[in-house]
Amino acid sequence: MEPTGPESARPADPCAPLLERALGLVEDHTFAAVREWKAAHPGALAIGCMPIYAPRPLIEAMGALPVGVFGAGAEIDIIRGDSYFQSYLCHIPRSTLELALAGHLDWADGMIFPSICDVIRNLGGMWQMLFPGRYTFYLDLPQDFTPAVGGRFYVEQLRALARDLAARGARSLDAAALRQAIADENARRQRLDTLDALRRDEPWRVRASEAYLVARAGTLMTAREHVRLLDEFLTVIRQRPVRAFDNARVVMVGAFCEQPPLALIRTLERAGCDILDDDLQLGLRSIEGPIELRDGEDPVESLARAYLERGVATASRYIADGVKGAALIEKVERCGADGVIFCAASFCDPALLDQPMLETALDRAGVPHTSVKFAENQRQVRREHRAVPDHPRAGGRVLRRRQTLGRPAMSTKSSALESAKDRSQLHQKQMIAGHFERLARAREDGRKVVYTFVPGNLTELIDALGMLPVLPEINALQSGMRGRSGGYILEAEKAGHSEDVCTYVKCDIGMMRGGNIGPTGTKLPDPDVLLLSYTGCFTFMKWFELLREQYKCPVVMLHVPYQADGRITPEMRGYVVEQLRDKVIPALEAIAGRKFDLDALGQRLTLSARAEDDLVAVWESARHRPSPIDGYFGGVYYIGPIFSAFRGTADAVGYYRELRAEVEARIAAGEGPMSPDGPLGPERYRLVVEGPPNWTSFNDFWRMFSREGAVVVASTYTRVGGLYDTGFRHDSQHPLESLADYCLGCYTNLSLPARVALLERYIRDYQADGFLINSVKSCNSFSAGQLLMLRELEKRTGVPGAFIESDLVDPRYFGKSNIENRIQSYLQMLEARRQGGYS
Amino acid sequence: MKCVVGIDLGSTTTKAVLMDERGGILGQGITNSRSNYEVACAVAHEEAVLAARRSLLERAIESLAGPGAAEAKAIRALLFDALRLELYLEELGELEDSVVRHVAGPAVHALRDVLEPAAREVLGEMRRAAPDLFLGGAARKSDFFRDVAAAGFMAGAERVSADGKVPFDRLVGLFDRAILDVEVRFRRPAFAPLLRRALGRVAPENGGDGGSARTRIESALREAADREIEEVAFVGTGYGRQTLPFPREAVKSEILCHGRGAHDSFPDTRTVLDIGGQDTKAIQVDEHGVVTSFQMNDRCAAGCGRYLGYIADELNLGLHELGPLAMQARRMVRVNSTCTVFAGAELRDRLALGQDRADILAGLHRAMMLRAMSLLARSGGISNAFTFTGGVCKNPMATRILEDLVRENYEGGITLHTHADSIYMGARGAALFALDDLRAGRPGILPNFGRAAAQPAEDPPCGRADPSVRQHGQDVDD
């Protein structure tokens, strides 16, 4: 028999009017309720808050209304919003932008973009460019949870937000008002807890879809109003005539940002699931229990402390201590759930990267699980083909056994042909081979191994402690160039990783599962520590959480704040320096088994700066005509030593001196750069390129340019591991500060407007005929917002741009004829425009 | 007369345009791109030559005066239908030969005694029904031989296998193999004999009266057939450009070609939307037709012509039937995904929910055009005038929705141009680039795609017999 819940009692359902009211609020994309609130509170501000978490009590304490903005669901046409986002990005940014461009968010006196992923982060930058007069605030939630370090940084951000709001007409922040607002928030939290408990105890009395509506409606009102609504609901819900029935009891996770269509939640319910807990509307439940107010404590500190100490485990929060998935299992046990349904938005990096770890934890605990993917505007829902359980009471309708998808065969043949090489390139090859030899001998030599990332790498520090770095991105790109990445990625996908997420991660996981054989054919040593330099890329955090699961080694987190406003503030620098001094260095010392020597670091930083000078001279040589370098395809070789294990070494200094001399010789001879087919022919087009290259067909890709006489005079990808041509140099006089500035200044840590400004500068300084954006599916940090960058750059420079799409190391996403078609069209367009017409 | 050739090799169809020295269209040809691009180019090109001869003939008939002229003009339309019938019958003959070859092959040899007579019966019936199909005013789902023949063969195969003695699947399998041979074989139809046969159908001999319509047309035919068509330059473009059998210097970007072709058709064009089989292009052009920016759909073919193709297959309809059916919708079902992979599932789900077929189709069309609107916005929006081209432009529902969306999203009376020959815009633009070469006195380039496509005994149909000039005059002398 079809299980029926309160629907059967609908004629007399006392909850219906309230639920209808909540539905009306949630589905109203014009935000009429917010407009009414503003009309009733003249002069008061309304602040839009993107998921997940925003400090609502602080906003309320200033007399302003925090308003949850969760996209537009399914009911509006997305035209302009879609025009700014590639198809491999999630849906919430496009519908949110559509709302804003249509004027539906013009009530907002400001928007808060919390640091939950690279897409929402970049959406904040797009907001700055599209709505220059409107206030945007990037809430960089700390990933360091000690009060003296992360706490201080967070408190400073809260104070900055308060200052900004006051400057825009909000009441100034007053401790008593904030205490009251926190008390109101705690009252709301208590009602939500009651509602959750009721759901767990009597799921037939209140369905998840109803609890969701009543919670979400509250994001459009003050906590106090929401308390009234919840009280009313809790009263009528208890009067609802119900009968108990026996459904599958499940917990749903993954939909903490983009919200699933209501129909999906209801469908799961109709299919026989009681959803006893979920992370929908997580923002209102981001703090476990009440925010504790201590006597004599500044309530701003209380708010920050609550986040640090009692923030709930979710995908966008780094799990520093404890076991990944423990919180979910505890939730399952608390609910007495039979299983878990993963319900993530398509292309949601946090949820989808987290999911395999949670699945592993559930498998270990014997908790069955299945998964679906959705988009907020979708009628069709994709069930992932790697589900698990078979709950007898679910009648097999929702939960199914694991299936294995047949995967297309993939060639492992290398597409990277041997290309013509400069002498410096051969030198570099020897340096890298030497490094891998050292790695192979690391154990016998008693050297500790640090896995870390290119952006924000602390190579000088690692070297000063006698440790050896391994850079997984470089392994992944090497696998791509050697034609191995396709197989590795399939391996990772077979193990449960989503096809939507970063292929560097999957390539690395696949390589690890295949024995961790490095590019030179020898096994890489396991890490002694994972140095998580969390710089400019959300995925880094998940990547090392995943590796930690495998290697069971310590992770050292270095949270590098994002330059959302295009500058490094003293607070940001201080936060990084404090982490280096109080966290990173002591942790590395303990693993290295030796004391950190500041002088040893200083000596290395001096060498770094020397190499950086020569590298900048190489970059700037492209001002010549013909350019003696290709600043992208050739450039990726030039950055090899300085972005990897050699910054701060005499080897690197020698390499860059040699490279510079080679380039100067070419200038003197009036020669262009090398191409895969030998010296480049006459220079016909000078281009600037944004975005990483594709590695699986690197030389094919390069030839699409070199054979047309197109040379890249500057690129941004070659600045991801350090941006030196705007003046920064490592500085032995201020070692930790300069390491902090280095990390903060890496290209992907720049705001979108700052990235546009840098590209604009390159286009002008290097007299480019055009610019090209290679938008890679894997890298949201780069890609989200690139279509706006394209338009903005065309507008500012009058130079036409081209846009192509590929991927880093997934050969499935490199459509050769498709890309070549676009590039040739673009170059022919440049030619026709140069001629001023056809003839 | 001197002319230039433009070929647009698309994912679904290949188009050719012959253009005279003044930029006038002499002839256009189209064929499905099939698996062999060389043959597709050769066939489209040959069709264009045939069409050029046809238009020369039309002009000759048009200029007739005196006895029989009025009668000749009156049967002109029927004459050209009869010409298509003759072409169809020629290909049907080839199909029959191919069937006979395959039925003797090892794969179906055991069933030869059953399949061969059945196939012959089906093909014989198709031959008998052909005059009605082309001269009887009946609607055809497609003008491509494969489509017309497949429809006829399927219907016939169902009939002859109704009693269960002939295995339907094997019969259809036979057709599938045989049609491939016909498709990858290049023929050069001889214009004059074909037309004479066509003339015999619509104007039987009546005693040699010099003033009869037939006699007058015959004299016009000689004039048109003897006229030398001298191809002096060539440019190719299209989706399959990387595998085109064209010399590298003769290849132009399809973006430039589509922009230019559309601008040539409507000189006030500033924005072009082209929706083809595999891709959608949004192109901005300046007052000279030079492209200033463009955007194409990303790697997936969502919202492109192929999407409608899947929907048509799912509903067992012809592609050209979708639009008119969608026009009958009373309400528009909201569809938010144009994923080609899920198109069939989406449609089945909605039909299962009891939604009306026309309403669903209307929603699917709208979803597709919303995607196109996003691409247009990405390329810089829509500026007046706006020209819609490509295969999908022939779909009346797509055009109507586009008009609505432009009105809803852009202020101030944007003119939307569509053209009956919108599918030829890329080839037209390519021909214009070839014309540039002709006018600039640059050495003409002619393709040699015919070499692989041609029958062994024949000359390359479009090869460079003489270094730079290919003449077709002799083709019709027989």
Side-chain angles (χ1 to χ4, degrees):
Chain A
M1 197 179 82
E2 182 75 13
T4 52
E7 285 105 327
S8 59
R10 191 172 290 150
D13 186 2
C15 305
L18 193 146
L19 287 170
E20 250 170 57
R21 182 148 48 101
L23 181 65
L25 284 168
V26 166
E27 287 195 337
D28 176 19
H29 61 259
T30 69
F31 291 86
V34 177
R35 292 171 198 279
E36 282 164 25
W37 184 89
K38 283 191 82 170
H41 300 80
L45 306 182
I47 304 296
C49 304
M50 293 297 292
I52 306 172
Y53 176 73
R56 299 178 69 97
L58 182 128
I59 300 166
E60 286 196 27
M62 300 181 73
L65 180 67
V67 180
V69 176
F70 293 93
E75 297 310 317
I76 67 167
D77 289 339
I78 309 294
I79 296 177
R80 281 175 290 180
D82 254 351
S83 77
Y84 287 105
F85 294 99
Q86 302 88 320
S87 56
Y88 52 77
L89 295 167
C90 58
H91 204 270
I92 184 171
R94 48 192 101 225
S95 65
T96 304
L97 210 49
E98 186 79 33
L99 288 178
L101 291 166
H104 296 312
L105 299 182
D106 57 8
W107 47 263
D109 300 292
M111 283 288 285
I112 295 178
F113 298 88
S115 56
I116 61 173
C117 72
D118 295 331
V119 176
I120 298 295
R121 181 195 78 181
N122 288 9
L123 181 63
M126 295 174 76
W127 221 266
Q128 291 170 334
M129 295 201 298
L130 285 166
F131 311 106
R134 300 196 208 167
Y135 174 60
T136 64
F137 184 81
Y138 180 68
L139 181 67
D140 213 341
L141 294 161
Q143 301 291 5
D144 177 292
F145 304 108
T146 43
V149 182
R152 207 159 80 186
F153 174 67
Y154 188 40
V155 164
E156 193 39 57
Q157 282 197 77
L158 294 177
R159 293 198 200 286
L161 174 64
R163 279 195 300 276
D164 290 349
L165 294 183
R168 280 161 182 78
R171 281 206 302 262
S172 57
L173 186 62
D174 156 71
L178 182 53
R179 282 175 177 274
Q180 181 56 55
I182 289 174
D184 291 345
E185 189 62 41
N186 286 343
R188 179 207 329 248
R189 189 74 180 90
Q190 187 265 324
R191 270 45 166 210
L192 288 171
D193 280 347
T194 307
L195 186 58
D196 283 344
L198 191 62
R199 261 168 81 185
R200 282 196 297 272
D201 297 343
E202 294 181 77
W204 45 87
R205 183 169 293 284
V206 55
R207 314 306 312 264
S209 52
E210 296 167 340
Y212 162 67
L213 282 178
V214 176
R216 182 165 163 186
T219 64
L220 302 165
M221 56 186 76
T222 60
R224 208 175 279 188
E225 287 171 289
H226 197 198
V227 165
R228 278 198 290 275
L229 180 87
L230 288 166
D231 280 343
E232 196 185 327
F233 185 65
L234 286 166
T235 307
V236 288
I237 200 80
R238 290 194 174 101
Q239 296 158 4
R240 176 186 251 181
V242 291
R243 61 190 172 83
F245 47 88
D246 190 19
N247 273 341
R249 295 167 63 85
V250 299
V251 168
M252 186 170 109
V253 288
F256 40 80
C257 177
E258 183 173 322
Q259 301 290 284
L262 190 59
L264 171 58
I265 309 172
R266 286 178 173 158
T267 299
L268 291 172
E269 290 168 351
R270 283 199 203 102
C273 290
D274 283 338
I275 304 168
L276 305 168
D277 205 338
D278 56 59
D279 52 7
L280 302 163
Q281 294 305 308
L282 189 63
L284 298 178
R285 298 181 290 175
S286 286
I287 312 291
E288 293 281 14
I291 299 164
E292 188 194 12
L293 282 162
R294 287 184 189 158
D295 287 340
E297 186 183 48
D298 181 336
V300 176
E301 307 254 352
S302 310
L303 202 53
R305 196 166 44 76
Y307 183 79
L308 299 178
E309 292 172 359
R310 312 197 63 177
V312 296
T314 185
S316 58
R317 182 184 170 106
Y318 175 58
I319 304 297
D321 307 305
V323 182
K324 195 80 195 171
L328 178 59
I329 289 167
E330 191 193 314
K331 196 183 257 191
V332 168
E333 284 168 357
R334 190 171 63 223
C335 295
D338 303 313
V340 170
I341 296 179
F342 289 97
C343 181
S346 290
F347 305 108
C348 174
D349 269 3
L352 294 169
L353 285 161
D354 221 35
Q355 193 172 316
M357 290 182 271
L358 300 181
E359 285 177 340
T360 306
L362 292 175
D363 286 342
R364 241 184 263 127
V367 179
H369 52 89
T370 186
S371 68
V372 292
K373 265 197 315 194
F374 69 88
E376 58 171 352
N377 71 332
Q378 214 171 325
R379 309 286 161 126
Q380 292 266 325
V381 176
R382 285 185 68 186
R383 186 172 64 76
E384 291 292 88
H385 289 266
R386 32 186 195 78
V388 182
D390 228 345
H391 188 272
R393 283 170 289 168
R397 275 166 300 183
V398 178
L399 310 174
R400 296 259 188 282
R401 288 246 167 250
R402 182 182 291 267
Q403 299 173 6
T404 311
L405 263 185
R407 297 285 182 181
M410 194 172 295
S411 162
T412 52
K413 201 175 132 231
S414 171
S415 66
L417 303 171
E418 275 299 301
S419 53
K421 288 186 173 58
D422 288 323
R423 210 155 43 100
S424 61
Q425 205 176 327
L426 298 173
H427 180 183
Q428 180 182 154
K429 218 172 167 178
Q430 289 164 1
M431 287 164 71
I432 290 170
H435 180 65
F436 280 104
E437 277 167 28
R438 284 189 288 282
L439 281 171
R441 288 197 318 268
R443 290 286 168 258
E444 47 195 277
D445 292 352
R447 297 186 74 174
K448 301 290 183 186
V449 175
V450 184
Y451 282 22
T452 194
F453 294 111
V454 171
N457 71 72
L458 303 174
T459 304
E460 299 91 344
L461 181 62
I462 292 168
D463 193 41
L465 284 163
M467 302 163 105
L468 287 169
V470 169
L471 297 129
E473 301 124 293
I474 294 185
N475 295 339
L477 77 85
Q478 295 270 5
S479 298
M481 289 183 103
R482 285 171 166 73
R484 301 245 164 80
S485 56
Y488 290 153
I489 291 166
L490 287 189
E491 187 61 36
E493 288 179 359
K494 266 190 251 165
H497 288 265
S498 169
E499 66 204 50
D500 291 355
V501 300
C502 174
T503 55
Y504 266 179
V505 179
K506 286 186 286 189
C507 183
D508 190 37
I509 302 270
M511 183 172 120
M512 190 174 74
R513 292 170 69 92
N516 216 19
I517 305 300
T520 52
T522 49
K523 185 183 180 305
L524 291 172
D526 286 356
D528 296 293
V529 60
L530 301 166
L531 174 53
L532 175 44
S533 52
Y534 179 53
T535 304
C537 166
F538 169 81
T539 299
F540 286 158
M541 189 170 84
K542 294 290 115 182
W543 193 339
F544 273 7
E545 283 185 356
L546 283 159
L547 292 199
R548 178 175 61 185
E549 296 276 295
Q550 181 68 28
Y551 291 117
K552 314 287 182 209
C553 68
V555 184
V556 178
M557 162 62 102
L558 173 67
H559 175 203
V560 176
Y562 179 60
Q563 280 199 49
D565 291 322
R567 64 196 173 91
I568 299 172
T569 63
E571 291 76 21
M572 291 175 180
R573 186 178 295 118
Y575 177 43
V576 178
V577 168
E578 279 162 14
Q579 289 179 79
L580 287 171
R581 197 185 51 217
D582 300 349
K583 298 290 186 65
V584 176
I585 291 173
L588 292 182
E589 278 179 330
I591 291 155
R594 71 156 92 164
K595 207 70 194 141
F596 167 67
D597 175 352
L598 197 62
D599 288 341
L601 176 65
Q603 285 157 16
R604 283 164 178 78
L605 295 179
T606 303
L607 294 177
S608 297
R610 238 181 264 164
E612 286 156 8
D613 282 341
D614 284 334
L615 175 63
V616 170
V618 169
W619 292 149
E620 292 185 345
S621 72
R623 290 171 195 260
H624 288 269
R625 280 176 189 266
S627 169
I629 62 161
D630 185 291
Y632 185 55
F633 297 106
V636 301
Y637 291 101
Y638 304 158
I639 57 177
I642 207 162
F643 279 14
S644 60
F646 300 96
R647 204 180 61 220
T649 65
D651 240 2
V653 172
Y655 167 81
Y656 284 100
R657 197 182 307 131
E658 183 180 5
L659 175 65
R660 183 174 178 174
E662 259 174 24
V663 168
E664 281 167 357
R666 282 207 291 270
I667 294 173
E671 287 172 359
M674 279 294 193
S675 79
D677 304 313
L680 187 79
E683 179 182 293
R684 293 179 62 206
Y685 308 99
R686 294 167 66 83
L687 303 178
V688 167
V689 175
E690 146 77 12
N694 163 273
W695 299 108
T696 53
S697 302
F698 184 79
N699 281 339
D700 281 346
F701 190 33
W702 188 351
R703 284 193 176 91
M704 291 178 196
F705 296 83
S706 62
R707 288 187 174 167
E708 303 290 335
V711 63
V712 181
V713 286
S715 67
T716 51
Y717 175 69
T718 52
R719 275 66 167 174
V720 288
L723 179 59
Y724 301 110
D725 47 352
T726 53
F728 168 79
R729 293 289 180 279
H730 282 91
D731 178 2
S732 58
Q733 298 303 306
H734 306 95
L736 295 189
E737 288 76 8
S738 93
L739 281 179
D741 281 1
Y742 156 73
C743 294
L744 287 158
C746 288
Y747 178 71
T748 45
N749 204 49
L750 304 185
S751 71
L752 228 47
R755 282 168 61 188
V756 169
L758 185 68
L759 279 159
E760 183 186 358
R761 203 191 102 180
Y762 287 158
I763 291 168
R764 291 190 200 283
D765 288 0
Y766 292 92
Q767 297 169 48
D769 302 305
F771 68 94
L772 174 112
I773 295 178
N774 181 33
S775 172
V776 297
K777 171 184 171 283
S778 276
C779 188
N780 292 348
S781 176
F782 259 107
S783 301
Q786 279 177 329
L787 283 160
L788 177 60
M789 292 170 72
L790 173 81
R791 284 197 217 178
E792 189 67 19
L793 283 167
E794 284 188 336
K795 197 169 77 189
R796 289 195 201 173
T797 62
V799 167
F803 199 85
I804 56 168
E805 292 174 63
S806 67
D807 189 48
L808 297 167
V809 290
D810 193 336
R812 295 170 298 187
Y813 289 92
F814 187 82
K816 188 181 172 205
S817 63
N818 191 305
I819 291 171
E820 195 160 15
N821 190 4
R822 282 157 174 74
I823 290 171
Q824 289 191 354
S825 293
Y826 175 68
L827 295 178
Q828 289 182 17
M829 179 184 91
L830 288 185
E831 186 60 37
R833 287 183 64 162
R834 190 145 56 187
Q835 308 281 333
Y838 301 124
S839 66
Chain B
M1 65 191 303
K2 282 187 177 169
C3 72
V4 297
V5 186
I7 290 190
D8 175 10
L9 177 46
S11 63
T12 317
T13 56
T14 299
K15 287 76 62 174
V17 164
L18 246 62
M19 189 174 272
D20 65 23
E21 285 176 280
R22 296 189 315 276
I25 306 285
L26 267 181
Q28 301 178 141
I30 183 167
T31 186
N32 40 358
S33 291
R34 51 195 97 184
S35 52
N36 186 327
Y37 288 165
E38 296 209 15
V39 176
C41 291
V43 170
H45 171 255
E46 210 51 47
E47 268 207 31
V49 171
L50 198 69
R53 297 248 168 250
R54 209 189 90 153
S55 73
L56 288 174
L57 175 62
E58 268 195 293
R59 286 185 211 170
I61 296 174
E62 190 57 43
S63 64
L64 290 176
E71 293 84 342
K73 286 175 192 173
I75 60 166
R76 195 172 35 181
L78 200 57
L79 174 66
F80 292 128
D81 282 345
L83 177 64
R84 289 170 61 190
L85 167 63
E86 291 302 331
L87 282 165
Y88 173 75
L89 289 172
E90 244 190 35
E91 286 189 271
L92 206 56
E94 281 181 27
L95 180 64
E96 190 154 4
D97 292 347
S98 175
V99 164
V100 171
R101 266 197 312 279
H102 279 285
V103 85
V108 287
H109 188 73
L111 288 167
R112 183 177 180 169
D113 292 347
V114 183
L115 290 180
E116 186 167 346
R120 283 188 189 279
E121 186 186 331
V122 170
L123 289 163
E125 181 50 34
M126 284 165 71
R127 187 173 286 280
R128 280 189 293 281
D132 265 359
L133 196 60
F134 287 87
L135 303 176
R140 288 184 304 277
K141 285 190 178 184
S142 163
D143 286 333
F144 296 136
F145 177 73
R146 175 190 253 276
D147 299 342
V148 180
F153 198 93
M154 290 293 269
E158 274 176 26
R159 203 175 50 247
V160 300
S161 56
D163 61 2
K165 288 180 188 147
V166 179
F168 175 79
D169 287 351
R170 305 303 292 269
L171 194 53
V172 171
L174 188 60
F175 171 83
D176 286 343
R177 275 195 290 277
I179 192 77
L180 281 178
D181 285 355
V182 180
E183 283 201 316
V184 299
R185 220 171 93 129
F186 172 72
R187 294 155 298 104
R188 178 174 304 140
F191 180 70
L194 268 175
L195 203 80
R196 287 199 185 96
R197 283 208 296 277
L199 193 56
R201 282 187 187 270
V202 298
E205 201 121 23
N206 60 0
D209 170 7
S212 75
R214 182 181 169 114
T215 314
R216 299 304 307 268
I217 288 176
E218 274 185 343
S219 74
L221 171 63
R222 267 192 299 278
E223 191 186 319
D226 291 346
R227 185 89 180 267
E228 186 182 294
I229 295 177
E230 186 188 349
E231 290 173 4
V232 290
F234 161 85
V235 164
T237 189
Y239 184 82
R241 287 186 310 116
Q242 302 318 315
T243 49
L244 283 184
F246 308 153
R248 189 175 154 79
E249 314 79 65
V251 175
K252 271 282 174 197
S253 132
E254 54 179 332
I255 296 291
L256 266 64
C257 290
H258 277 87
R260 192 166 181 191
H263 184 266
D264 188 54
S265 307
F266 302 102
D268 59 346
T269 297
R270 293 294 175 274
T271 302
V272 182
L273 172 67
D274 181 271
I275 308 187
Q278 290 286 356
D279 54 21
T280 303
K281 311 172 192 74
I283 305 169
Q284 309 289 344
V285 296
D286 66 12
E287 66 273 25
H288 307 296
V290 176
V291 175
T292 56
S293 80
F294 68 91
Q295 284 287 328
M296 295 171 79
N297 60 302
D298 45 34
R299 289 195 69 245
C300 88
C304 298
R306 199 70 217 111
Y307 171 69
L308 288 181
Y310 283 121
I311 298 291
D313 289 348
E314 194 68 34
L315 292 173
N316 200 19
L317 290 171
L319 198 52
H320 72 289
E321 291 172 284
L322 287 183
L325 184 57
M327 297 279 275
Q328 294 167 20
R330 279 159 299 168
R331 52 182 289 275
M332 186 114 36
V333 168
R334 180 175 276 275
V335 177
N336 287 324
S337 163
T338 50
C339 176
T340 311
V341 179
F342 291 109
E346 174 113 26
L347 186 72
R348 282 193 296 274
D349 274 13
R350 291 176 183 284
L351 288 170
L353 288 172
Q355 289 173 328
D356 181 74
R357 202 162 67 147
D359 294 351
I360 300 168
L361 276 179
L364 294 169
H365 278 78
R366 184 174 160 85
M368 179 176 177
M369 298 319 283
L370 278 171
R371 218 175 140 83
M373 290 294 288
S374 283
L375 201 67
L376 283 160
R378 207 179 267 193
S379 78
I382 298 175
S383 301
N384 212 11
F386 174 39
T387 301
F388 180 26
T389 67
V392 174
C393 156
K394 284 190 167 177
N395 180 315
M397 190 60 174
T399 309
R400 195 176 89 184
I401 289 173
L402 184 62
E403 274 168 349
D404 291 347
L405 287 171
V406 171
R407 205 173 36 249
E408 288 164 21
N409 290 280
Y410 290 88
E411 285 170 9
I414 299 263
T415 305
L416 176 65
H417 294 306
T418 56
H419 194 287
D421 287 332
S422 69
I423 201 162
Y424 291 102
M425 289 305 164
R428 183 170 178 165
L432 286 164
F433 280 108
L435 198 59
D436 289 346
D437 291 343
L438 174 63
R439 287 176 177 162
R442 283 191 285 267
I445 295 164
L446 291 178
N448 57 2
F449 50 72
R451 225 164 264 161
Q455 294 177 63
E458 284 190 29
D459 282 344
C462 203
R464 211 181 289 207
D466 172 90
S468 63
V469 173
R470 177 80 201 156
Q471 295 178 352
H472 286 279
Q474 71 270 29
D475 291 347
V476 292
D477 285 348
D478 53 348

